[in-house]
Every structure is written in C-alpha cells, then in structure tokens.
Amino acid sequence: MTWSNQSGVTTILTAQSSQFKKSSMWGGGDKPLQTKPSRVSRELKSAIADDLYKEQVNDAKIKAMGDLVDYDTFKARVSVAHLRPLGAPNIHSQVSCSPASLFNSDGTRVAPSASQGPVVPPCAAAAPHPPAQVPTSSPAFERAWRRSCPTPQDKFHYMLLIPPENLPQIFKVEITPTLLGDVLVVLNDHCLTSESPAQEDLDKAALVLRLLGSFTGVGRFSLTSKLLNPKAKSALVSLSNKLKGTVDPTIPAQKEVWTKWGLI
C-alpha cells in the first residue's frame, strides 16, 4: 500500500511490517509474551528462602538451649524447625487411627452386629498402660514417663513404683529442669489431697519424702534445682508444706532434705 504526501516524498507502508510490530509486542497474538523470571529474581527468591530457613533453625536452637534439653531432643527440634504443622480442617478425624476396618468396600460404615458388639478402633484396644517395670536409665524413665503414662495419675503411680535409692543411679549424669519440674508438679497434685488422709496416704507421703531426698543425689542437682520454672518452684513449696504437716518433723533426714532443696 503506497501514497504521496504534499512534498512529493513517497511513504511506503506494508501490512507485513505492521504485523511484525504487533507480533514483536504481543507474541503473535492478543496475549503478551510469557517471559521466564530473570536469573537475579531466582537468586533473590532462593536467598530469601535460605535466610528464612536459617532464622527458623537458629530460633529452634535458642529455644532448645533455653529449655536445657538433652542432645537427642536438641537434634530433633533443629531438624524439624523449618516444617509447618498441618492445618487443614480435614486432618482432624473423629477416629484416632486408621478407619479402614470401620468401612465397607463401597465406603459405607460397618454396622455393628449384636454378636460382635460395637466396633472398636484397633488403636483403642492398644491404649498405653502404666509401666510395671522399674527403669534403669534416664532415657528409659523419660520414655515411660511420656509414652506409657498418659495421665498425671499414671505418672504419680509410676513415681511410687521406683525405689527412691535407684534415682541417683537412673539420673547419674543429670535430670533436666523441665522433667524435674514435671515430677514435682505431679507429686504435689496427687500427694495428700484429702484433708483427713488415711494411713495409706500417709505411707505414700513418706515415700514421696524419700523420693525428694533421693533426687538431691542425682547428677548436677544443685544447678538443676536453681533452673526450675516458677510453676515447679511453687509446687515444691506446696509439697513441702504438706509433708511438714503430716510426716514426723523431728526426723533429721527431713530437715536435711529441705536444706538441700533450698527451702531452709
């Protein structure tokens, strides 16, 4: 397509050049070109992700050091510091274990028969039972304390199961302030709960006093007792008041126990 202007200069425009300009701007169609992110953008995004990961790991290390956890717990916390907990609403099910045995092949729920009784999830029958074996090491104690004693009452009976003279051998190296604090809270909540304790309760109170005395012989006790949190210290004071009012205060060993715990 051609024409001439007033000065006699001929201008030639072709449809092909017009189409070329359109194609170069819009990728040959109505949509813009899909360009890949530049190398700088990819490197910046990677650097931001690395900084976030390092910050999460560092925060996990600081918190673990503040809790005075053992090496295995410290390693486990750091290894999962960058993970996010699942928050989808459909992960919380009324069935606490695999529900495959509760449904038919077509997806309908199995109806309990009169002869078989109600359908019980497999994990309900495998509920943890309080341990009946005395631990021989700190890891064995912590494993039973956290896994096999789901309720505070179970933890209290587990403590009464352990001979007091075994505690220094079980915690030969140390006992963490967190674990010792949990033990104190459990002992305080379940020892001498009645205003008129029976003889059985008094016997348990005497055993609790012996346990407290044996805890003073574990590794690094003087340091651990100073690092107890306020809740554990409050439980210790409350427990000592209970025991002082029921157990014979003239026993020399009792005064020695409270001295080592820093209450006298």
Side-chain angles (χ1 to χ4, degrees):
M1 178 179 181
T2 63
W3 70 84
S4 299
N5 55 16
Q6 295 179 355
S7 61
V9 180
T10 302
T11 304
I12 302 175
L13 296 177
T14 64
Q16 183 177 1
S17 63
S18 177
Q19 183 65 25
F20 173 76
K21 292 180 180 179
K22 182 178 180 180
S23 299
S24 60
M25 293 179 60
W26 298 95
D30 297 332
K31 297 182 179 179
L33 288 173
Q34 299 294 331
T35 59
K36 294 183 179 180
S38 64
R39 179 181 176 183
V40 176
S41 298
R42 294 196 302 268
E43 291 179 352
L44 178 60
K45 185 176 180 181
S46 178
I48 293 175
D50 290 342
D51 289 343
L52 178 60
Y53 172 77
K54 292 178 181 179
E55 182 179 356
Q56 292 169 335
V57 170
N58 187 56
D59 292 343
K61 289 180 179 179
I62 294 176
K63 189 176 187 306
M65 292 174 63
D67 294 341
L68 297 175
V69 299
D70 54 18
Y71 175 75
D72 291 336
T73 305
F74 179 89
K75 181 179 178 181
R77 288 191 182 184
V78 173
S79 64
V80 298
H82 63 290
L83 300 181
R84 295 182 179 179
L86 292 176
N90 57 350
I91 67 172
H92 301 289
S93 173
Q94 295 181 352
V95 181
S96 58
C97 57
S98 177
S101 61
L102 305 182
F103 294 87
N104 296 316
S105 59
D106 59 352
T108 58
R109 194 174 185 88
V110 176
S113 61
S115 58
Q116 295 179 351
V119 177
V120 180
C123 59
H129 297 283
Q133 186 176 1
V134 177
T136 57
S137 63
S138 175
F141 176 89
E142 291 193 45
R143 185 166 53 251
W145 177 267
R146 304 192 186 283
R147 297 181 184 179
S148 303
C149 301
T151 65
Q153 186 71 24
D154 293 334
K155 288 180 170 62
F156 180 69
H157 289 303
Y158 181 49
M159 286 302 308
L160 299 183
L161 173 69
I162 303 174
E165 58 272 13
N166 289 17
L167 290 177
Q169 181 63 29
I170 295 174
F171 301 101
K172 182 185 299 185
V173 179
E174 67 173 351
I175 180 173
T176 63
T178 302
L179 180 58
L180 182 58
D182 292 343
V183 171
L184 291 175
V185 171
V186 168
L187 293 179
N188 178 58
D189 291 344
H190 295 85
C191 180
L192 298 174
T193 56
S194 175
E195 295 182 357
S196 301
Q199 184 60 41
E200 181 181 0
D201 297 328
L202 295 177
D203 294 340
K204 291 181 179 179
L207 180 56
V208 168
L209 179 60
R210 292 177 56 199
L211 290 172
L212 292 176
S214 295
F215 270 122
T216 61
V218 303
R220 302 179 181 177
F221 170 77
S222 59
L223 176 62
T224 303
S225 61
K226 295 177 182 179
L227 298 177
L228 293 174
N229 57 48
K231 182 179 180 180
K233 293 181 179 179
S234 176
L236 175 62
V237 173
S238 175
L239 182 59
S240 66
N241 292 334
K242 291 180 182 179
L243 296 177
K244 288 178 182 178
T246 54
V247 182
D248 188 0
T250 62
I251 301 177
Q254 182 174 171
K255 182 178 180 180
E256 182 181 355
V257 169
W258 303 133
T259 301
K260 291 183 177 180
W261 278 97
L263 298 179
I264 295 180

